[in-house]
Amino acid sequence: MMRQDHLITATQLSRDDIETVLDRARAVADDPAAYADRHAGRVLALCFFEPSTRTRMSFDSAAKRLGMNTIDMGDVDSSSVSKGESLSDTVRVIEGYADAIVLRHPSEGAATLAGERVDVPVVNAGDGAGQHPSQTLLDLHTIREDHGLDDLTIGIMGDLKYGRTVHSLAAALTEFDANQHFISPESLRLPRSVRFDLHETGAQIREHEEIEPVLDELDVLYVTRIQKERFPDENEYHRVAGEYRIDAETLEAADDDLTVMHPLPRVDEIAPDVDEADHARYFQQAHNGVPVRMALLDTLLENANPDGDEGTGV
Ligand code: CP
């Protein structure tokens, strides 16, 4: 049973925690009406200091499908952040308006700080190049629906240095003893700290610069965008941009059951001709954000209100 107050990193999640949320996500998907009024009167605050389509909108949709209201901080430029208000003050104010906070921020560690400052549940919706653990839950749900989570061989390709979805997914997969192949240019390898943490768990990891030698071994290929916005030097981005591109021809060498995933948005890492292939699962993956985030909110709010206390009612 998941007993977390906040969701800050995937590293904090045990196999049992993950399975609790994913089992509930399956139950939500099978019978959404049973969850429709579950958190009526409660409010979710959406605080996005960086752009988002999927995470912001799927949390909004998930909350509303649980009977909640949502309030959105809006763009940084139209909030008092632009007047110099600190993150600490911002979240301390917002906890008075809401029963849970979803936070995306450009600084690694921002969600940890927010979680230390407030008593309502905080979900890290991406902290710089750090982690994005609710994305990981929907990634795992997508993988589980196709392959289960045991005896999995996965290739994770693209920007492994700045890709926060990669850092979270790799950590969570250690709970299932997955064989993990990391494919990237040398300059975008996993950060040393992430590699160290994976090795500490005894994880089976291998690193490559080309996809071809491992493609036919994979159950899942998880492709990521090169994170242009994180590069200190744009010339360095242009040196590696477009280096990896998966198209229908590439996938001729793959197993018929290969699942191709991407957290999206994509730029040109996956050619449009893959979209209609049986391998493609990235749009379904994005749609899975709703039941998984419903299950996550339900679990965190249940933990925060074990006696079924009513919400703020704002
Ligand atoms: N996958 C993901 O985090 O997408 P957004 O940046 O659109 O939220």
Side-chain angles (χ1 to χ4, degrees), residues 98-140:
D99 300 281
I101 296 173
V102 175
L103 176 69
R104 171 168 292 184
H105 198 278
S107 301
E108 225 169 300
T112 304
L113 183 143
E116 288 166 358
R117 294 291 188 275
V118 303
D119 290 329
V120 298
V122 172
V123 177
N124 178 6
D127 60 332
Q131 292 233 353
H132 190 354
S134 71
Q135 175 72 44
T136 293
L137 290 169
L138 73 91
D139 294 342
L140 294 176

Short mmCIF file of all heavy atoms in Angstrom, two decimals, residues 98-140:
data_model
loop_
_atom_site.label_atom_id
_atom_site.label_comp_id
_atom_site.label_asym_id
_atom_site.label_seq_id
_atom_site.Cartn_x
_atom_site.Cartn_y
_atom_site.Cartn_z
N ALA A 98 -5.80 25.17 -1.72
CA ALA A 98 -5.94 23.88 -2.42
C ALA A 98 -5.62 22.71 -1.49
O ALA A 98 -4.97 22.88 -0.44
CB ALA A 98 -5.00 23.86 -3.62
N ASP A 99 -6.06 21.53 -1.92
CA ASP A 99 -5.84 20.30 -1.14
C ASP A 99 -4.64 19.50 -1.64
O ASP A 99 -4.22 18.54 -1.00
CB ASP A 99 -7.10 19.43 -1.21
CG ASP A 99 -8.29 20.19 -0.64
OD1 ASP A 99 -8.41 20.25 0.58
OD2 ASP A 99 -9.07 20.75 -1.44
N ALA A 100 -4.14 19.89 -2.81
CA ALA A 100 -2.93 19.26 -3.36
C ALA A 100 -2.36 20.21 -4.40
O ALA A 100 -3.08 21.05 -4.95
CB ALA A 100 -3.25 17.91 -4.01
N ILE A 101 -1.03 20.10 -4.60
CA ILE A 101 -0.34 21.00 -5.53
C ILE A 101 0.44 20.17 -6.54
O ILE A 101 1.18 19.25 -6.15
CB ILE A 101 0.64 21.92 -4.77
CG1 ILE A 101 -0.12 22.85 -3.80
CG2 ILE A 101 1.51 22.73 -5.73
CD1 ILE A 101 0.77 23.68 -2.88
N VAL A 102 0.27 20.48 -7.83
CA VAL A 102 1.10 19.90 -8.88
C VAL A 102 2.06 21.00 -9.32
O VAL A 102 1.63 22.09 -9.69
CB VAL A 102 0.23 19.43 -10.07
CG1 VAL A 102 1.11 18.93 -11.21
CG2 VAL A 102 -0.73 18.32 -9.62
N LEU A 103 3.34 20.70 -9.25
CA LEU A 103 4.36 21.74 -9.47
C LEU A 103 5.35 21.33 -10.55
O LEU A 103 5.99 20.27 -10.45
CB LEU A 103 5.14 21.96 -8.16
CG LEU A 103 6.32 22.95 -8.24
CD1 LEU A 103 5.84 24.38 -8.45
CD2 LEU A 103 7.18 22.86 -6.98
N ARG A 104 5.47 22.17 -11.57
CA ARG A 104 6.58 22.03 -12.54
C ARG A 104 7.45 23.28 -12.42
O ARG A 104 6.94 24.40 -12.38
CB ARG A 104 6.06 21.90 -13.97
CG ARG A 104 7.19 21.97 -14.99
CD ARG A 104 6.78 21.57 -16.36
NE ARG A 104 6.46 20.15 -16.44
CZ ARG A 104 6.15 19.52 -17.57
NH1 ARG A 104 6.10 20.19 -18.71
NH2 ARG A 104 5.88 18.23 -17.58
N HIS A 105 8.76 23.06 -12.40
CA HIS A 105 9.67 24.17 -12.15
C HIS A 105 11.01 23.89 -12.85
O HIS A 105 11.41 22.73 -12.96
CB HIS A 105 9.90 24.30 -10.63
CG HIS A 105 10.45 25.62 -10.21
ND1 HIS A 105 11.79 25.91 -10.29
CD2 HIS A 105 9.84 26.73 -9.70
CE1 HIS A 105 11.99 27.15 -9.85
NE2 HIS A 105 10.83 27.68 -9.50
N PRO A 106 11.68 24.92 -13.34
CA PRO A 106 12.95 24.68 -14.04
C PRO A 106 14.11 24.25 -13.14
O PRO A 106 15.13 23.77 -13.64
CB PRO A 106 13.25 26.04 -14.70
CG PRO A 106 12.45 27.04 -13.95
CD PRO A 106 11.25 26.33 -13.42
N SER A 107 13.99 24.42 -11.83
CA SER A 107 15.13 24.11 -10.94
C SER A 107 15.02 22.71 -10.35
O SER A 107 13.99 22.37 -9.75
CB SER A 107 15.20 25.10 -9.77
OG SER A 107 15.32 26.40 -10.24
N GLU A 108 16.09 21.95 -10.48
CA GLU A 108 16.13 20.64 -9.85
C GLU A 108 16.03 20.82 -8.33
O GLU A 108 16.68 21.71 -7.77
CB GLU A 108 17.49 19.99 -10.20
CG GLU A 108 17.38 18.57 -10.62
CD GLU A 108 18.68 18.05 -11.20
OE1 GLU A 108 19.15 18.60 -12.20
OE2 GLU A 108 19.20 17.06 -10.63
N GLY A 109 15.20 20.06 -7.70
CA GLY A 109 15.05 20.18 -6.24
C GLY A 109 13.89 21.08 -5.84
O GLY A 109 13.57 21.18 -4.65
N ALA A 110 13.25 21.75 -6.81
CA ALA A 110 12.16 22.68 -6.46
C ALA A 110 11.01 21.95 -5.76
O ALA A 110 10.44 22.45 -4.79
CB ALA A 110 11.65 23.38 -7.73
N ALA A 111 10.67 20.76 -6.24
CA ALA A 111 9.54 20.04 -5.64
C ALA A 111 9.90 19.54 -4.24
O ALA A 111 9.04 19.50 -3.35
CB ALA A 111 9.14 18.87 -6.53
N THR A 112 11.16 19.20 -4.04
CA THR A 112 11.60 18.78 -2.70
C THR A 112 11.39 19.94 -1.73
O THR A 112 10.84 19.76 -0.63
CB THR A 112 13.09 18.39 -2.72
OG1 THR A 112 13.26 17.38 -3.70
CG2 THR A 112 13.56 17.89 -1.36
N LEU A 113 11.82 21.13 -2.16
CA LEU A 113 11.65 22.31 -1.31
C LEU A 113 10.17 22.57 -1.02
O LEU A 113 9.77 22.79 0.14
CB LEU A 113 12.29 23.52 -1.98
CG LEU A 113 12.26 24.83 -1.18
CD1 LEU A 113 13.56 25.59 -1.40
CD2 LEU A 113 11.08 25.73 -1.56
N ALA A 114 9.35 22.51 -2.07
CA ALA A 114 7.91 22.76 -1.89
C ALA A 114 7.32 21.76 -0.90
O ALA A 114 6.54 22.11 -0.02
CB ALA A 114 7.20 22.70 -3.23
N GLY A 115 7.71 20.50 -1.05
CA GLY A 115 7.18 19.46 -0.16
C GLY A 115 7.57 19.69 1.29
O GLY A 115 6.83 19.30 2.21
N GLU A 116 8.73 20.33 1.49
CA GLU A 116 9.17 20.63 2.87
C GLU A 116 8.41 21.82 3.46
O GLU A 116 8.36 21.98 4.67
CB GLU A 116 10.68 20.93 2.88
CG GLU A 116 11.53 19.69 2.66
CD GLU A 116 12.98 20.01 2.34
OE1 GLU A 116 13.35 21.22 2.25
OE2 GLU A 116 13.75 19.07 2.14
N ARG A 117 7.85 22.66 2.60
CA ARG A 117 7.22 23.91 3.07
C ARG A 117 5.72 23.78 3.36
O ARG A 117 5.16 24.61 4.06
CB ARG A 117 7.41 25.03 2.04
CG ARG A 117 8.84 25.47 1.86
CD ARG A 117 9.37 26.20 3.10
NE ARG A 117 10.67 26.79 2.86
CZ ARG A 117 11.83 26.15 2.98
NH1 ARG A 117 11.86 24.89 3.37
NH2 ARG A 117 12.97 26.78 2.72
N VAL A 118 5.08 22.77 2.74
CA VAL A 118 3.61 22.72 2.84
C VAL A 118 3.15 21.37 3.39
O VAL A 118 3.88 20.38 3.34
CB VAL A 118 2.93 22.99 1.48
CG1 VAL A 118 3.35 24.33 0.90
CG2 VAL A 118 3.18 21.87 0.49
N ASP A 119 1.92 21.36 3.89
CA ASP A 119 1.36 20.12 4.45
C ASP A 119 0.47 19.38 3.47
O ASP A 119 0.16 18.21 3.68
CB ASP A 119 0.55 20.45 5.72
CG ASP A 119 1.47 20.87 6.85
OD1 ASP A 119 2.62 20.37 6.89
OD2 ASP A 119 1.06 21.70 7.68
N VAL A 120 0.01 20.04 2.40
CA VAL A 120 -0.82 19.32 1.42
C VAL A 120 0.10 18.54 0.48
O VAL A 120 1.28 18.88 0.33
CB VAL A 120 -1.72 20.29 0.61
CG1 VAL A 120 -2.68 21.04 1.52
CG2 VAL A 120 -0.88 21.26 -0.23
N PRO A 121 -0.40 17.45 -0.14
CA PRO A 121 0.45 16.66 -1.05
C PRO A 121 0.97 17.51 -2.22
O PRO A 121 0.23 18.30 -2.80
CB PRO A 121 -0.50 15.57 -1.57
CG PRO A 121 -1.59 15.47 -0.56
CD PRO A 121 -1.76 16.85 0.01
N VAL A 122 2.25 17.31 -2.53
CA VAL A 122 2.89 17.95 -3.68
C VAL A 122 3.28 16.87 -4.67
O VAL A 122 3.89 15.86 -4.29
CB VAL A 122 4.15 18.74 -3.26
CG1 VAL A 122 4.92 19.24 -4.48
CG2 VAL A 122 3.79 19.89 -2.33
N VAL A 123 2.94 17.08 -5.94
CA VAL A 123 3.40 16.18 -7.00
C VAL A 123 4.41 16.93 -7.85
O VAL A 123 4.11 18.03 -8.35
CB VAL A 123 2.23 15.71 -7.90
CG1 VAL A 123 2.76 14.83 -9.03
CG2 VAL A 123 1.19 14.95 -7.08
N ASN A 124 5.59 16.35 -7.98
CA ASN A 124 6.61 16.91 -8.85
C ASN A 124 6.24 16.61 -10.31
O ASN A 124 6.31 15.47 -10.75
CB ASN A 124 7.97 16.28 -8.50
CG ASN A 124 9.09 16.78 -9.39
OD1 ASN A 124 8.90 17.69 -10.20
ND2 ASN A 124 10.27 16.19 -9.23
N ALA A 125 5.88 17.65 -11.02
CA ALA A 125 5.49 17.48 -12.44
C ALA A 125 6.67 17.81 -13.36
O ALA A 125 6.48 18.16 -14.52
CB ALA A 125 4.30 18.38 -12.75
N GLY A 126 7.88 17.67 -12.81
CA GLY A 126 9.10 17.95 -13.57
C GLY A 126 9.88 19.06 -12.91
O GLY A 126 9.36 20.17 -12.77
N ASP A 127 11.10 18.73 -12.45
CA ASP A 127 11.97 19.76 -11.84
C ASP A 127 13.27 19.82 -12.63
O ASP A 127 14.20 19.06 -12.41
CB ASP A 127 12.21 19.50 -10.34
CG ASP A 127 12.89 18.17 -10.05
OD1 ASP A 127 12.72 17.21 -10.84
OD2 ASP A 127 13.61 18.08 -9.04
N GLY A 128 13.31 20.76 -13.57
CA GLY A 128 14.50 20.91 -14.42
C GLY A 128 14.84 19.59 -15.08
O GLY A 128 13.98 18.89 -15.60
N ALA A 129 16.14 19.24 -15.01
CA ALA A 129 16.59 17.97 -15.59
C ALA A 129 16.56 16.86 -14.53
O ALA A 129 17.18 15.82 -14.70
CB ALA A 129 18.00 18.13 -16.14
N GLY A 130 15.78 17.09 -13.47
CA GLY A 130 15.76 16.13 -12.36
C GLY A 130 14.88 14.93 -12.62
O GLY A 130 15.31 13.93 -13.22
N GLN A 131 13.63 15.01 -12.17
CA GLN A 131 12.73 13.86 -12.26
C GLN A 131 11.33 14.29 -12.71
O GLN A 131 10.99 15.49 -12.65
CB GLN A 131 12.64 13.16 -10.91
CG GLN A 131 13.93 12.48 -10.50
CD GLN A 131 13.74 11.01 -10.12
OE1 GLN A 131 12.63 10.50 -10.02
NE2 GLN A 131 14.85 10.32 -9.91
N HIS A 132 10.53 13.30 -13.09
CA HIS A 132 9.15 13.54 -13.54
C HIS A 132 8.38 12.26 -13.19
O HIS A 132 7.99 11.48 -14.07
CB HIS A 132 9.14 13.83 -15.04
CG HIS A 132 7.84 14.33 -15.60
ND1 HIS A 132 6.67 14.41 -14.86
CD2 HIS A 132 7.54 14.77 -16.86
CE1 HIS A 132 5.70 14.88 -15.66
NE2 HIS A 132 6.21 15.10 -16.86
N PRO A 133 8.15 12.02 -11.89
CA PRO A 133 7.69 10.69 -11.47
C PRO A 133 6.26 10.33 -11.87
O PRO A 133 5.97 9.14 -12.05
CB PRO A 133 7.83 10.74 -9.95
CG PRO A 133 7.84 12.19 -9.59
CD PRO A 133 8.48 12.90 -10.75
N SER A 134 5.37 11.32 -12.03
CA SER A 134 4.01 10.91 -12.46
C SER A 134 4.03 10.46 -13.91
O SER A 134 3.24 9.60 -14.31
CB SER A 134 2.99 12.03 -12.22
OG SER A 134 3.18 13.10 -13.11
N GLN A 135 4.97 11.01 -14.71
CA GLN A 135 5.16 10.50 -16.08
C GLN A 135 5.59 9.03 -16.02
O GLN A 135 5.13 8.19 -16.80
CB GLN A 135 6.22 11.35 -16.79
CG GLN A 135 6.60 10.85 -18.19
CD GLN A 135 5.51 11.08 -19.23
OE1 GLN A 135 4.92 12.14 -19.27
NE2 GLN A 135 5.27 10.09 -20.09
N THR A 136 6.46 8.73 -15.08
CA THR A 136 6.94 7.35 -14.95
C THR A 136 5.79 6.39 -14.64
O THR A 136 5.74 5.27 -15.18
CB THR A 136 8.01 7.27 -13.84
OG1 THR A 136 9.13 8.01 -14.29
CG2 THR A 136 8.41 5.85 -13.54
N LEU A 137 4.87 6.82 -13.79
CA LEU A 137 3.74 5.93 -13.47
C LEU A 137 2.92 5.64 -14.71
O LEU A 137 2.50 4.50 -14.95
CB LEU A 137 2.89 6.54 -12.36
CG LEU A 137 3.57 6.56 -10.98
CD1 LEU A 137 2.77 7.42 -10.00
CD2 LEU A 137 3.74 5.15 -10.42
N LEU A 138 2.70 6.65 -15.55
CA LEU A 138 1.91 6.37 -16.75
C LEU A 138 2.74 5.59 -17.77
O LEU A 138 2.19 4.77 -18.53
CB LEU A 138 1.30 7.65 -17.32
CG LEU A 138 2.17 8.67 -18.03
CD1 LEU A 138 2.24 8.39 -19.52
CD2 LEU A 138 1.59 10.07 -17.81
N ASP A 139 4.06 5.79 -17.78
CA ASP A 139 4.92 4.98 -18.64
C ASP A 139 4.85 3.50 -18.22
O ASP A 139 4.71 2.61 -19.06
CB ASP A 139 6.38 5.45 -18.55
CG ASP A 139 6.59 6.85 -19.13
OD1 ASP A 139 5.73 7.32 -19.89
OD2 ASP A 139 7.62 7.48 -18.79
N LEU A 140 4.93 3.27 -16.93
CA LEU A 140 4.89 1.88 -16.43
C LEU A 140 3.53 1.25 -16.69
O LEU A 140 3.44 0.06 -17.01
CB LEU A 140 5.22 1.85 -14.94
CG LEU A 140 6.65 2.25 -14.57
CD1 LEU A 140 6.81 2.27 -13.04
CD2 LEU A 140 7.69 1.30 -15.17
#
